[in-house]
Amino acid sequence: MSANLLAISVGNTRMQLGVYRDDKLVEQRYFSHDQLREIADAARELYQPIRDTEEPAVYLASVDDSVAQAVAMSVGDALSERVWRMEQDIKIPIGRQLDPEAIVGEDRLLNAAAAYDGAKQAVAIVDAGTAVTVDFVDGKGTFQGGAILPGAKLMLNALHQHTAALPQAELAKPSEPIGHNTIEAMRSGVFHGIRGAVRELVEKYAEVYQGYPRIIATGGDADLLFEGYELIEAIVPDLTLQGMAVAHRRAMGDQ
């Protein structure tokens, strides 16, 4: 069954809305958390073309429950539709091999579901946003967990805030590996440090799994950090939204 879906993903610093019609992402938009009115208006506009299609739905995933509640209420009122919450109302279709007490962000699980649905083999997912996560799904489609490190902007901010002399530096791709001034040195350290961490982690995952996974990147900083990087097979900006489309298809099929 094809997905006709308005998918809303609430991240740590921004929000992504995307509309799927017949399994194809036809439009997506980005907002900050405080733009509730704009989000509701965009949801109304995006949902209209799929309102009369087969089994349309509105799904919401979030890493911040307080923001999610406000968005769900605002969008639900604007559309006069139920907003289905991931994991609470709709199970994310990915197996899990985790500690019993582990709590994993919905975005990580959705990325894993989408990546495995496309790869049909072991896959590592690098999500470069406020934090950088490097997760692993085995060849049977089981989410095994992964690693979390500070995102690029967090690193730069921490260097400025927790040292006496290092300046505030905006995130940008370094012009060359050896920084000839402080700002460029900070950018080089963060840029190549994250790339190096991702490579090391994926190689360790491959050792444990005894096979090399496909590697997919997503997140707001993925293009800057990984464009042209031979380690990364593909950069997929809407991976979390794709995970919601996978969950919707699975839910409709189960019904």
Side-chain angles (χ1 to χ4, degrees):
M1 179 176 290
S2 296
N4 295 296
L5 176 71
L6 175 62
I8 305 170
S9 174
V10 178
N12 286 299
T13 55
R14 66 172 186 170
M15 200 173 312
Q16 185 180 18
L17 276 69
V19 61
Y20 284 83
R21 180 160 187 164
D22 297 328
D23 269 350
K24 295 180 179 179
L25 180 67
V26 295
E27 188 174 355
Q28 59 180 321
R29 300 181 189 177
Y30 296 90
F31 298 91
S32 62
H33 287 181
D34 59 356
Q35 293 180 287
L36 282 179
R37 179 174 296 179
E38 292 86 346
I39 292 164
D41 289 343
R44 189 183 297 110
E45 181 182 345
L46 293 172
Y47 190 67
Q48 188 58 39
I50 65 168
R51 184 180 289 276
D52 296 324
T53 60
E54 183 180 10
E55 302 285 0
V58 184
Y59 282 9
L60 172 65
S62 178
V63 300
D64 187 327
D65 191 60
S66 63
V67 175
Q69 290 180 21
V71 172
M73 182 176 297
S74 179
V75 170
D77 289 346
L79 302 181
S80 298
E81 295 282 357
R82 178 174 179 176
V83 177
W84 299 82
R85 295 284 303 273
M86 302 309 306
E87 289 290 89
Q88 294 182 21
D89 304 315
I90 301 293
K91 192 73 172 175
I92 297 172
I94 189 74
R96 300 140 204 226
Q97 184 65 45
L98 301 166
D99 292 340
E101 71 278 7
I103 299 174
V104 180
E106 295 167 15
D107 54 344
R108 294 173 68 191
L109 295 173
L110 287 164
N111 289 342
Y116 183 77
D117 183 72
K120 298 296 192 296
Q121 67 169 73
V123 59
I125 307 103
V126 183
D127 189 348
T130 304
V132 175
T133 57
V134 187
D135 290 324
F136 181 73
V137 179
D138 67 22
K140 296 181 179 180
T142 301
F143 178 84
Q144 296 286 342
I148 304 172
L149 59 148
K153 295 184 182 72
L154 273 180
M155 290 186 185
L156 289 170
N157 288 339
L159 287 171
H160 169 60
Q161 293 170 8
H162 297 284
T163 63
L166 292 179
Q168 184 68 60
E170 295 297 322
L171 178 61
K173 189 174 181 178
S175 57
E176 55 184 322
I178 301 174
H180 294 288
N181 58 66
T182 303
I183 294 288
E184 281 298 300
M186 293 167 67
R187 287 172 175 163
S188 184
V190 168
F191 180 84
H192 294 290
I194 289 174
R195 283 185 167 206
V198 170
R199 182 182 290 275
E200 176 74 8
L201 285 164
V202 171
E203 289 180 354
K204 292 299 182 184
Y205 297 170
E207 288 178 14
V208 173
Y209 182 64
Q210 296 186 332
Y212 213 84
R214 296 179 64 179
I215 307 169
I216 297 172
T218 190
D221 293 334
D223 282 330
L224 186 147
L225 291 170
F226 303 120
E227 185 178 11
Y229 191 31
E230 74 282 357
L231 184 74
I232 304 297
E233 184 171 328
I235 298 174
V236 186
D238 62 316
L239 194 63
T240 308
L241 303 185
Q242 286 186 25
M244 282 189 264
V246 171
H248 185 46
R249 289 198 306 271
R250 188 72 58 85
M252 294 303 99
D254 289 347
Q255 289 181 14

